[in-house]
Amino acid sequence: MSLFLIAALPFLGALFPALLIRAGRNASASSAGLATGLAFIGLMLHAPAILRGETVQVGLEWLPALGLHANFFLDGLGFLFATMILGIGLLIILYARFYLSREDPMGQFYTYLLLFQGAMVGIVLSDNILLLLIFWELTSLSSFLLIGYWKHLPEGRQGARMALTVTGMGGLAMIGGMLILGNIAGSYDISVILQNKDAIQSSDLYLPALILILIGAFTKSAQFPFHFWLPHAMAAPTPVSAYLHSATMVKAGLFLMARLWPVLAGTPEWFYIVATTGLITMVLGAVIALFKDDLKALLAFSTVSHLGLITMLLGMGTKLAAVVAVFHIINHATFKAALFMSAGIVDHEAHTRDIKRLGGLRHLMPVTFVIATLASLSMAGIPPLNGFLSKEMMLEEISHTSWMQSPLAMSILATIAAMFSAAYSFRYIAHVFLGPKRDDYPAKPHDPGFGMWASPALLVTLVVLIGLFSAKLVGPLVAASASAVIGGEKLPYYSLKLWHGVTPALYMSIIAIVGGLVLLALHRPLERVWNALPRPEAKVIFDAIVGAATRLMQGITAGLHDGSLTRYGAIMISFTAALSIYAFSTGLLGAPTRALQQAGALPIVAWLCLIVAAACIVLFHRRRFIALILIGIVGLIVSLSFNYLSAPDLALTQISVEVVTIILMLLALNFLPKDTPVETPVLTRMRDGVIAIIGGVGVGGLIYAMLLRDFAFPSISGFHVENSYKGGGGTNMVNVILVDFRGFDTFGEIIVLGIAALVIFALTEAVLSTRVRAYLLNRKPDIEQAGDSHPGMMVVVTRMMMPVALMVAAYIFFRGHNLPGGGFIAGLIAAIAVIMQYMASGFGWATERQRFPYHGIIGSGVLIAAATGIGAWFNGQPFLTSAFGYVHLPPLNEFEVATAALFDLGVFLAVVGAVLLALESLSRFAWQPGSASEHAMDINPARDDAEQDMKEA
Amino acid sequence: MEFLVASAVGLLTAAGIYLVLRRRTFPVILGTSLLSYAVNVFLFASGRLASNAPPILNKYADVAYSDPLPQALVLTAIVISFGMTAVVVMVALGAYLSARNDNINMDDTAPAQGEDA
């Protein structure tokens, strides 16, 4: 099966459980199991090749410019992890089906679980570190959902947040480290990076990269001092804990260290950071675990301890240690998953996980007792179980390793850790299952159904079998994955067997087991001592740090974002100005290359008008009506300038937009206050004035500098000039650019315009459905109204102008391709023609005569434009490719027909619809009952009752 | 000529910024309109200034053309800035009618107006 499919199956499968939950819990669980099972089978199909030492690779270029490839590869290491992830995943799915109660939303659970599983499989199969990072972050996110699955429990939510914060921050650090690593190696593909050991280890950036990557790995794998999130994540349902903390999430950090072992390991930095951290974690976790009364907390700290052990082995940097690490990863996954599940069973049946309230369960739950005992003994390192094998090899390896010239330091600490490890394992058996039967359990414990103990039983069978027949059963797997860890080099000699003869490790093992029994016997007095010791509480520290960070950020945010838009504006403009000043003072400005053009009298007059108008707007902006008129003057001068400066299309557009805008603002001003009060103190106004002047001088200076210099690089305009007629079939280059070269942009623009109009319509509807409507209906105008709201002269003139205006629009539209004009301008002119009717004859009169809803006009415009674009597909051309030809219809002269004109028709309709919808919506505010006169003209010669009116008058 | 255009752009920008920093909706809208003019003229002028050289191809004579590309961009920008102004005007109007207050800044001290008590 393709690796793509294996990686994708859990994600695809994640869709089904949530949907199928309606068909029942079994259907939901089966669909999750099916997806996982298929992926597992697919993986197993690769087993023969992997065990032969081959690698399977598939690749796909995703974003080659970034070096991001969707490359997957499967080697021994990836295979080992994928097997654990999918295999134990399958067992967890079965277990969870019986563990979760009727109140728990099971569909959600399986969906989260499969998302997490997919992310994990993605990590171990990725051949590209960027891809790996994506999956890495996905595990953080999906584990957040899983840990916080019981949303009603505060511990669950807090634990999920803590896990996300710690692993997420580690992930961020790791991104930095990975990018450095990729830059040193010159590729983000892992298989390439692994070939560049010398380049990486000799680089100055080796240490920063190493530290950043290790922060990522340590946070994920709960290494000291980031170990504290793991016990808090125990608030999750037990299947989640069993999955995340035995085989998957926490092993991701180990996987990463193992994956990058060939290029990162072997240096003193690696040894001292990784091995020391691992050792501390191992001892610390083991000691704390002994004094935890919560079954899951005990297991959590034992997990921390074992992760430390594996980290330490990887940190040693020797090949043999790497082999042992791989072997212990397998063993730990089997016994720890079984232990978590057995703890879950106890919790499920006895309704408590508190060791102090348990004991004597062996009579009541014999099956669980056997499972838990075998798994515990393996964890304690008792022969002939698999935990013994790897622990023995670990001790052997450690007895040859010296730390800071001290040959005994590590051995002693490791023995102590092993001793505590044995002690808490024995405690798990002795204080939960052995001892007298009690009569005060919160519930009546008994063995669960087969479905629930099947999974741990299978794992415990593996624990025993691997212990007895390790070489046969997992020998090839260990060999394949260990050789992947050490970078494909020759494996050192080792043998997976129970009896290695009388070695230092054997003594250490014996000390550990005997010591463990002694510690258990002394548990009660030791616990008293432990409880009397002052201990830093990680959660308190964590909460304090998070709280302080939150307060700091709230302070900053509240300072910057205090709800004052004015303030945001001032900050943004000042900041932009500061950046620009910095850029200007550090940049280069060459000598002017263009001569100044002489300005005639006309431009100077226009300039004076503009200056005066703009200055007056600022001076008189409190009198809004005057300011509006002045804005109109500015707009007019801008249009005239466009015309003068050889931009006739712009001039036409600007002037028609100007008309529409001013009418729109007038409509709004009708309802708004007519004056702006003086609110800001003089100092604020002066500050704003300074900001404004700096901004104005900057922008003006910039354009002045640009105007006096030629383009720094050749412009692309030449292409448009050359191809406008040849390729686009039009002589008006601006229009050809709009409807042809940049047609897709224009297509987007008309959609945006249409959306803007619809937003206005929707807002109107929303506002008018509140009590604002009542206010408007009873509103008395606050300024004096004209005596005649529909002056006869104006009505007559506008109606006569309507056809003329439409004719002009049609003319402007048709000539657009070759002479100034086009859909935009024609649309605006047509819209103005209609608006004139609204203004002169009234809203009611005009609405009555409106046949097509404006929404429809916008929509038809967009559709026509789209259809024109799609038409090009039928000619085998890309979207919006235009075509044109010449037609001769007698008695007309020969004329040109271009598909671009059809596109322009779409633009025309969209503009008409959008402008009219916007204005019509706004006018609806003004509507009052009785305001729409039955007859727009008070004197209408065409009216039947005209004579009667005359008589009455 | 260059100086006239540059100084006009600068003045429009300054006036726009000043009005955008006011506290009522209407001056702010006027300010954004002025800024739109300034930006549009700025973009247009980035094609450099030329009189009597419209970008209309002359089939019969070899003449100079002004740069058509900024013009095309500015043309759509003008239309879009109309759309933007219209939406902002509508928002301002809706807010004023609902709250009877056209101040753009949130006032934490006073309870929000316009909500049903």
Side-chain angles (χ1 to χ4, degrees), chain A residues 744-758:
Chain A
F744 201 64
D745 281 358
T746 310
F747 185 55
E749 307 261 9
I750 59 173
I751 292 175
V752 171
L753 197 63
I755 291 172
L758 292 178

Side-chain angles (χ1 to χ4, degrees), chain A residues 563 565-566 597 607 624 644-646 650 658 671 679 688 692 696 706-707 709 717 731 733 749 775 925, chain B residues 1-2 7 14 21-22 24 37 45 48-50 52-53 55 57 66-67 71 76 80 96 100 102 105-106:
Chain A
L565 287 175
T566 315
Q597 297 175 46
W607 178 79
R624 296 179 172 181
Y644 186 80
L645 294 170
S646 317
L650 289 190
E658 206 50 49
F671 300 99
E679 284 175 310
D688 293 347
M706 274 172 75
L707 285 175
R709 284 162 186 83
S717 300
T731 54
M733 293 182 260
E749 307 261 9
Y775 162 78
F925 284 99
Chain B
M1 181 68 88
E2 277 78 6
S7 58
L21 296 178
R22 298 304 91 207
R24 300 283 170 155
Y37 291 133
R48 310 299 186 265
L49 306 180
N52 291 321
L57 282 176
S66 58
D67 197 339
Q71 295 193 17
T76 50
I80 288 293
Y96 174 72
R100 294 302 140 64
D102 63 348
N105 293 338
M106 275 190 265

Side-chain angles (χ1 to χ4, degrees), chain A residues 138-159:
Chain A
L138 272 180
T139 60
S140 293
L141 293 175
S142 50
S143 67
F144 171 79
L145 294 172
L146 281 173
I147 296 171
Y149 173 69
W150 278 331
K151 302 180 190 75
H152 55 279
L153 296 182
E155 304 86 50
R157 300 196 299 268
Q158 287 159 10

